[in-house]
Amino acid sequence: MSFVELSLICLVALVGPLLAARRNWHLPLVLGELLAGVIVGRSLLGWVNADNETLKFLADMGFALMMFVSGTHVPVRDKTIRAAIGKGALRVVVTAVVAIALGVAVALLFASANAPLYAVLMASSSAALVLPIIESLKFKGTSVLELTAQVAFADVAAIVALPLAIDPAHAGPKAIGAFTVAVGAVVVWWLLRSVEASGARHRLHTFSENRKFALELRIQLTVLFALAGLALAFNVSIMLAGFAFGLAVSAVGEPRRLARQLFALNDGFLGPVFFVWLGSSIDLRQLGGHPQMILLGVLLGAGAVVAHAASRLTGLPLPFAAASAAQLGVPVAAATIGRSLGVLAPGEDAAMLLGALVTIGATTAAASLAARRPPANTQVGDDAPPEAPSGGTGAPHQKPAPGA
């Protein structure tokens, strides 16, 4: 990978801010970055090689950091989150039940044996897509907390369930790996809390600020990448490592100074690189040789939206319910694993990615509608109460975190 290609990626990623600049459009920042990736990637121009190992590594860094920042935005110490966790888990179950029924129906329609895989795809959510959209549109309120919990549960559950649906022989080791990463995050939380209680974190913060050493950021990134390495060692998604570590930091408290530093690194560089890479990795040209797979992709995407919209029955506003359907990481993983195992029909992997694009479009439309007409108990943008310093990540100001 050359600096010219990296410069091109940073340049086309500016499509995100350009589309999101018009406030009355209410378009999420990540939409433009994904579309730019599709245009310059393998689907159209081919200027960006998504298979480049250096680019993939940068994208993985962005994914891990993005999920960490998303985790820090979950107000773990807020009493209202407890009720949100319960409702989020309930809605994941409701969505899964509907997704199973729709997955079986689609599999029967196409005479496919992949009903379990279709069900997992329809039930999955992408925290890497939904949470940045929520953040970019500055949604606040009880429904947002519940949506955050639901998306996090659905994403983790889909990551764990995918091997069972498509590669049952290796499902057990991956489940053990997910548990190991979770235990690692709990250990980190305990260490952070102990350092905070002893006052060592405050002394480190003062020393780092006076000497301009950025020790807080360095230590957080060290822990984040260590947990990501642990996840990869067990063939578990780094999404789980990043999000779990973010929750651990949120449970203790994230300092404002660190929030601003993470905002610059994530939103200014690694996050856009990740979304451009993600868009460039999609190859929609495969659908041209298998027209029936276009219908399959549309049905998978529409089925996911319907399954998630069922959360309306449990009290979640319909725009937020539909917005939770966004997916991409799980379909990409399913397509990659399915191709390597030879369990997919020709063009079926491209159909899964088309279905993911359908959900992204639905999520964007639903989020824009919610921004124009906020549901009850929801504030948007400038109407939301200030919870973070200007230039920060938008996370509530909490007691400074140790090791930050």
Side-chain angles (χ1 to χ4, degrees):
M1 182 179 179
S2 66
F3 281 110
V4 173
E5 187 174 9
L6 184 58
S7 175
L8 172 64
I9 291 172
C10 293
L11 177 63
V12 300
L14 291 175
V15 174
L18 287 176
L19 291 181
R22 290 287 296 271
R23 288 183 177 273
N24 58 338
W25 287 359
H26 298 289
L27 296 179
L29 187 66
V30 301
L31 177 64
E33 295 165 354
L34 281 170
L35 291 177
V38 171
I39 293 172
V40 301
R42 59 183 56 161
S43 290
L44 292 175
L45 300 179
W47 292 349
V48 173
N49 179 16
D51 294 326
N52 182 280
E53 292 299 326
T54 303
L55 176 57
K56 289 173 66 175
F57 184 67
L58 286 174
D60 283 343
M61 290 175 59
F63 186 30
L65 182 59
M66 186 187 323
M67 295 315 305
F68 168 67
V69 172
S70 297
T72 62
H73 288 184
V74 179
V76 176
R77 299 188 299 172
D78 191 331
K79 294 180 179 179
T80 58
I81 196 65
R82 299 173 186 173
I85 290 175
K87 289 186 177 180
L90 172 62
R91 286 163 183 162
V92 170
V93 173
V94 172
T95 300
V97 170
V98 178
I100 290 172
L102 294 176
V104 172
V106 172
L108 290 175
L109 179 62
F110 286 86
S112 172
N114 288 326
L117 176 58
Y118 296 164
V120 170
L121 291 175
M122 292 182 187
S124 70
S125 290
S126 175
L129 288 172
V130 179
L131 298 186
I133 288 175
I134 294 173
E135 175 63 22
S136 68
L137 296 179
K138 299 181 180 180
F139 287 122
K140 305 290 181 182
T142 304
S143 295
V144 178
L145 290 178
E146 296 172 357
L147 176 63
T148 300
Q150 176 185 348
V151 170
F153 279 136
D155 207 347
V156 173
I159 290 171
V160 175
L162 180 61
L164 181 61
I166 196 171
D167 187 18
H170 298 92
K174 290 192 176 182
I176 295 175
F179 177 76
T180 302
V181 172
V183 170
V186 172
V187 172
V188 169
W189 165 78
W190 180 82
L191 291 173
L192 294 180
R193 190 182 65 167
S194 300
V195 172
E196 176 68 28
S198 68
R201 201 285 314 161
H202 179 70
R203 292 192 294 271
L204 175 68
H205 172 84
T206 302
F207 173 74
S208 176
E209 186 173 20
N210 291 338
R211 299 295 301 274
K212 310 299 181 183
F213 285 166
L215 293 177
E216 299 168 315
L217 179 63
R218 296 184 188 211
I219 294 174
Q220 293 284 26
L221 291 179
T222 299
V223 176
L224 171 63
F225 296 147
L227 284 176
L230 178 64
L232 291 179
F234 284 93
N235 292 318
V236 176
S237 173
I238 56 178
M239 170 267 166
L240 180 59
F243 195 74
F245 181 38
L247 291 177
V249 171
S250 178
V252 178
E254 182 187 33
R256 295 189 177 190
R257 184 163 175 257
L258 176 63
R260 289 192 290 268
Q261 293 169 337
L262 289 173
F263 172 83
L265 183 59
N266 179 58
D267 291 45
F269 177 51
L270 291 176
V273 169
F274 167 72
F275 283 113
V276 172
W277 169 81
L278 206 53
S280 68
S281 67
I282 300 172
D283 188 1
L284 298 179
R285 294 176 300 176
Q286 299 180 34
L287 296 173
H290 309 282
Q292 74 278 11
M293 290 301 167
I294 297 178
L295 177 60
L296 174 60
V298 172
L299 290 178
L300 288 175
V305 175
V306 171
H308 286 269
S311 296
R312 179 68 185 92
L313 300 176
T314 63
L316 186 67
L318 184 59
F320 285 161
S324 67
Q327 54 182 245
L328 200 54
V330 172
V332 169
T336 302
I337 297 173
R339 281 196 300 264
S340 63
L341 296 177
V343 298
L344 301 180
E348 193 171 8
D349 52 347
M352 294 177 184
L353 299 179
L354 175 60
L357 293 180
V358 171
T359 65
I360 294 172
T363 293
T364 300
S368 297
L369 176 61
R372 292 187 180 94
R373 301 177 181 177
N377 300 320
T378 304
Q379 299 85 39
V380 182
D382 297 333
D383 295 330
E387 296 187 10
S390 177
T393 63
H397 173 53
Q398 299 172 331
K399 191 176 181 181

